[in-house]
Amino acid sequence: MSQSADILIIGGGLSGTMLAVQLLRLPVRRKVLIIEPRNELGRGEAYSAVELGHTLNGNAARMSVDPDNPDDLTQWLTEHIAGGGWPESAEQNVPVSELFPPRGLFGVYVQQRLVEARRVGARYGSSVEHIRAEVVDLQVDADSVQLTLSNGQSLSGFCAVLATGMFPAARTPQKASSGLNAAALDPWDVAAMRQLDPQSTVMIIGSGLTMVDAVVSLEQAGHRGPIEVFSRHGLLPHVRRQPPVWIDFLGSDHSLRTPRQLLRELRRQCRAAIAQGIDWQAPLDTVRVHIARLWSQATDVQRRQFVRHVRPWWESHHHRSPPLSAKLVERLHKEGRLRIHAASFKGLEPREDGSVGIRIRRRGESETCVVQGAALINSSGIEYDWRRVARPLPQQLLVRGLVQSGPLALGIAAAVDGAVLDAEGRAASRLFAMGPPLRGMWWESTAVTDVALQAKALAARLSGRG
Ligand SMILES: Cc1cc2nc3c(=O)[nH]c(=O)nc-3n(C[C@H](O)[C@H](O)[C@H](O)COP(=O)(O)OP(=O)(O)OC[C@H]3O[C@@H](n4cnc5c(N)ncnc54)[C@H](O)[C@@H]3O)c2cc1C
């Protein structure tokens, strides 16, 4: 069976869905197919969350999916709450714009925007259809793009967009049947955590926002035992506060380029803010809009320096924790139930008594040692290197030479307009990418605001309006 469309969107998480929304809003007749194995569009991994405690890491004022209306989420939430939705929001006791919504609810918001855009699109004769399958292969010829799906179906289109998102290390399928992930619990699987002895020791690898989610899951599951967290630098994400506006110091000085210069200036600005009684988060937050420019202008050597020396601090200071989750982590830390260890994971240690053993090396020590617990959670992040992602599509695209790795092997390479670069470095005319696969091109290419901006620009490009 074969179907054809103008635009084939591969992946129906936030990126694919927002691209469809933006396409539907344009007065150009389009038939769009979104190929997504999940049964709902607009959710992906992040917004399929079912626990109310798994919230966005920014407040409503920061998480609009509409680049033309920063208040879009706040307005939607205001109506939703007024209609009786999310009654628990009253407990946060803050204005709607300052609420940190559950990620599952954010998924509902995205879906609602798709429903509305479908109505608008229908006026122009445009449509979006969800095909439930995984794309396992893709070929491009002079006239079209052809997709092969996991169910044997094939699709053809004028062009295709890779909106395949992130491949979490915590769930990278190549390890599903053996190794770390077979031994580890899913950070969001509260039901599995309920099976644990509540007083048992749980070990978590990684100390970023996924760890914070995992701690929320454990709490929700009734776990009350020790939690041992291992990460290379032992850094916890800072809590997100609402800092006042600070001068855009990078906007007014484009001579600041190298990681060293930038860091020195940022520290100076933070000290100046603190001296005035202003939160250090204020200067830091002005950096956000310049990251894509700074990263794309940097040399590979500078990018490597940044990744090696600055990244752990960038992650813990920039990717901050929502206040309620941060409060829980802080409480458990103070009570001594949660301990953070600066140590790198060296491998699993087989055990026969039903417990899990891991070999670690503590920072500053040369010897390794084994620690054990009743369960292990892998929160060690995302696999951005497509050569290591054992899914059929990334593998096939690399084998066919249709894509090449992006800078520092982070995702894939693309031109400024999202057209992917093939193995020879030529920009494709029919194959585009957006969101997390472009991590190497822009460094920050995964957050809601990044995805929303890219969706709008790419929709305009695909409609000949960019
Ligand atoms: C747990 C978690 C929490 C997050 N929280 C925040 C937050 O609070 N704030 C924020 O700004 N950002 C957050 N993010 C970042 C978030 O990922 C992005 O905002 C957004 O989800 C990226 O959307 P996406 O559609 O590109 O990727 P994804 O959400 O990963 O969706 C990609 C989709 O593509 C599908 N897919 C992959 N390969 C194929 C294929 N071959 N064929 C068909 N379909 C395919 C997958 O099934 C998936 O549904 C979070 C991310 C995670 C994982």
Side-chain angles (χ1 to χ4, degrees), residues 143-167:
D143 307 313
S144 65
V145 180
Q146 295 95 39
L147 306 185
T148 307
L149 309 190
S150 47
N151 59 12
Q153 199 183 344
S154 56
L155 302 174
S156 72
F158 181 76
C159 67
V161 177
L162 300 166
T164 47
M166 321 210 222
F167 298 98

Side-chain angles (χ1 to χ4, degrees), residues 10-16 35-38 43-47 55-58 63 103 133-136 163-167 188 210 213 382 393 434-437 446-449 451:
I10 305 170
L14 179 68
S15 295
I35 307 94
E36 164 60 58
R38 291 175 196 269
R43 291 195 179 271
E45 177 76 63
Y47 311 112
T55 69
L56 289 177
N57 66 352
M63 294 287 162
R103 294 201 301 271
E134 180 178 357
V135 177
V136 294
T164 47
M166 321 210 222
F167 298 98
W188 300 285
T210 304
D213 264 7
I382 308 299
L393 184 63
M434 65 174 292
T446 60
V448 168
T449 41
V451 166

